[in-house]
Every structure is written in C-alpha cells, then in structure tokens.
Amino acid sequence: RCMPVEGFFDLRIKCDDDLLPEVRTELLTQAFADERASRIKKLNLSHNGLITPPVLTHLTHLRKLDIDHNCLNQPPLLTGLRHLRVLYLNCNHLVMPPLLNGLDYLESLDLSYNELAVPPVLTELSRLRVLKLSYNHFEQPPVLAGLVNLRWLDLSHGQLTRSPVLADLRELKSIDLSH
C-alpha cells in the first residue's frame, strides 16, 4: 500500500517496499485522479523506488513537487500544474529533462544527479531563482536568457564544453561551475 504520512494539503506518501514499482505508480495515479486530490499543494514522493512517474495532471493547485531519490527514467508530465513553484527531480535516472512550458510561477528547479543529455528549456521561467543541474551529462550549457530573477546556479560536476552566457543575470549571487 501507499500511505499518506502527512496532512492532506501537505502530503508525503511512502509506498511499501514489497510493492512492485509498476504497482506503486498505478496506485498513485489512481489516487491522484480523485477530484479531492486537486487540493493538494505540496506532494513528496521521494524515496519510493518509482521507475515511471504517476500521472499528476489533476493536481491543479500543486505548488511543490518532490520526486527525488527514485529511479525515474522519464520525467513526469507537468501539464496543468501552472501553480507549481518548486520542482525536485534530483537523484533519478532522467536522460531527457521535463517540459517546463506553462510553469510561469516556478522559482526553484533541481534536476541534479541525473543523466541528462541535454539541458532543460528555461526560456519561459522568468521567476526562476534557484537552478540546480549539477552531475549531468550535457555538454552545452542551458540558455539562461530571460532568467532575470535567477540568484543561484549550480552547473558543477558536469561535462560542459563551454561556460554559460551570464550577461542578463543581474540578480545572480552564487554560481558553481566547478569540475
């Protein structure tokens, strides 16, 4: 079974270890299809051994989504999550980044410790303040133009062949390009 660990608006779910990953995903998808689930504002699915993400498109009021430390090989579909402010997908096995269009309120994005071959498209994320892309495999840096509120950027321990263009990043306080 997958059991809620916290309150309904701030939900942490931990699935039994003996459930197959496919069963976990299916149970979560069914639970999130319930119309009451649309009221969830914070969802933590970290450390659940998920291989494929559950369908989250019904969670229209979601502000924080944490699916870190799983085994995801594909990102979740984020369509309809227009209120999302925080997205943690770090420590998975993602090869391709999630599609971020329509996430106008996103302020913090963590895709570190994945296997991304290309950086995410960030052009519509003008409110983004924190961007963590360390420990990935892409060689070209992400396009940062338009990220006028970006304050913290981590591209460390990657395979970049050149530095990112930082010209428009007037709010940038911290950048890590090490290793």
Side-chain angles (χ1 to χ4, degrees):
R1 284 183 21 191
C2 298
M3 297 295 298
V5 179
E6 297 176 19
F8 195 67
F9 295 109
D10 186 1
L11 188 63
R12 164 133 172 60
I13 295 178
K14 179 64 178 142
C15 295
D16 288 344
D17 290 336
D18 60 346
L19 284 177
L20 293 172
E22 300 81 18
V23 174
R24 294 175 192 188
T25 299
E26 182 59 31
L27 286 172
L28 292 170
T29 295
Q30 289 174 8
F32 299 146
D34 186 301
E35 71 179 54
R36 293 173 295 172
S38 69
R39 296 182 289 184
I40 297 171
K41 292 186 179 181
K42 295 179 183 176
L43 179 60
N44 186 331
L45 297 174
S46 61
H47 299 278
N48 271 305
L50 299 174
I51 294 173
T52 55
V55 176
L56 304 167
T57 53
H58 299 292
L59 305 180
T60 54
H61 289 91
L62 198 62
R63 293 182 182 203
K64 180 179 180 182
L65 177 58
D66 186 349
I67 313 182
D68 66 5
H69 291 88
N70 279 287
C71 302
L72 297 179
N73 51 26
Q74 65 186 34
L77 182 61
L78 302 171
T79 305
L81 304 183
R82 59 188 177 101
H83 296 289
L84 197 62
R85 288 188 167 94
V86 177
L87 177 58
Y88 298 143
L89 285 168
N90 52 301
C91 301
N92 278 287
H93 300 289
L94 299 177
V95 177
M96 295 300 295
L99 297 176
L100 302 169
N101 42 331
L103 301 182
D104 300 334
Y105 294 100
L106 196 64
E107 296 177 0
S108 182
L109 175 62
D110 191 347
L111 293 170
S112 57
Y113 292 91
N114 276 290
E115 300 166 16
L116 297 179
V118 296
V121 176
L122 306 165
T123 52
E124 296 180 22
L125 304 180
S126 63
R127 295 181 190 226
L128 198 64
R129 294 174 172 223
V130 176
L131 179 58
K132 298 179 183 180
L133 297 173
S134 61
Y135 292 92
N136 276 291
H137 301 301
F138 50 85
E139 295 180 358
Q140 299 300 312
V143 175
L144 302 172
L147 300 183
V148 295
N149 291 304
L150 194 64
R151 294 185 179 172
W152 202 81
L153 175 63
D154 186 356
L155 294 171
S156 66
H157 301 277
Q159 298 178 5
L160 293 179
T161 56
R162 63 182 176 87
S163 296
V165 176
L166 305 172
D168 297 332
L169 305 179
R170 293 183 176 89
E171 296 295 319
L172 195 62
K173 306 280 188 241
S174 176
I175 183 169
D176 190 349
L177 300 172
S178 62
H179 293 91

